Amino acid sequence: AAERLNGAKLQLEQSQQRLALFSRQAATSRIDLARQQRLLEQLARQLYVNGGFGGSLLSFSLDDPEGFLRGLDQLTIANASQSSVVKEARALASSLKSTTDALAREQQRLSTATANLAAEQANADAAIAQLQSELAKLEEQQRAALLAEAAAAQTASIGQSQRRLQRAAPHAV
């Protein structure tokens, strides 16, 4: 029972450590996702206000082919930047979901480990109580046996003393 109790305590301790780790990971993921959310909100405002790009990027002129190519390059860079913001936000959201799922599973394991520990503690307490009861019975039996032995020895001693007295009594008169 003691070994099972120690095993349950160890399982509980390990579960608590994993729970703390997943909690820290979830907090970090939430912070990262909040930062990414702000970037996405800025991106959404930018798209709403001016089509997603600064005013200079929107003025393509066929009269200036070099400026037109620069504008396309800037448009490509802006698109790549927007795409990376969305991809990173998606990855962070997925990571947060995985972490919160792992956290929920670990909370369930912790609950189970706590219940197991309580059950093992109850089993150990019951085993100790039973052993103490048996020990008390043994001690009681041993005391009774010792008392019976002492009574028998006393009876024998009294009997022996009476026989000596009877033998000695006829000579004394």
Side-chain angles (χ1 to χ4, degrees):
E3 286 299 319
R4 287 191 311 270
L5 181 62
N6 287 338
K9 285 180 182 178
L10 179 63
Q11 182 185 19
L12 179 66
E13 187 178 302
Q14 290 171 341
S15 186
Q16 288 171 331
Q17 290 171 354
R18 285 189 305 266
L19 186 66
L21 172 69
F22 290 139
S23 293
R24 286 191 303 273
Q25 288 175 344
T28 300
S29 290
R30 282 188 182 96
I31 291 169
D32 291 344
L33 192 57
R35 180 182 40 80
Q36 204 63 27
Q37 181 181 2
R38 286 189 296 277
L39 290 174
L40 285 170
E41 289 169 353
Q42 288 174 346
L43 180 61
R45 274 193 298 277
Q46 187 179 8
L47 287 170
Y48 178 75
V49 170
N50 57 15
F53 310 103
S56 64
L57 290 176
L58 296 175
S59 61
F60 291 104
S61 170
L62 294 177
D63 295 336
D64 182 12
E66 190 175 310
F68 186 84
L69 289 173
R70 272 194 315 271
L72 286 176
D73 287 344
Q74 289 176 343
L75 183 61
T76 302
I77 290 169
N79 260 344
S81 173
Q82 291 171 355
S83 179
S84 72
V85 168
V86 171
K87 283 180 184 176
E88 187 174 344
R90 180 173 281 128
L92 286 170
S94 178
S95 173
L96 179 59
K97 182 182 179 340
S98 296
T99 302
T100 53
D101 289 348
L103 183 60
R105 284 190 305 273
E106 200 55 47
Q107 286 171 329
Q108 181 59 40
R109 279 192 202 109
L110 180 61
S111 177
T112 301
T114 301
N116 287 345
L117 179 61
E120 289 301 335
Q121 182 68 50
N123 288 342
D125 291 345
I128 289 170
Q130 181 181 1
L131 289 173
Q132 287 175 337
S133 173
E134 289 175 12
L135 180 61
K137 286 178 188 174
L138 284 176
E139 288 173 356
E140 195 175 299
Q141 290 171 352
Q142 287 174 336
R143 274 183 281 186
L146 286 174
L147 285 174
E149 195 175 299
Q154 187 178 15
T155 303
S157 176
I158 290 172
Q160 197 174 30
S161 294
Q162 285 176 347
R163 282 189 296 277
R164 279 189 203 147
L165 278 175
Q166 286 175 354
R167 278 186 255 149
H171 296 291
V173 181

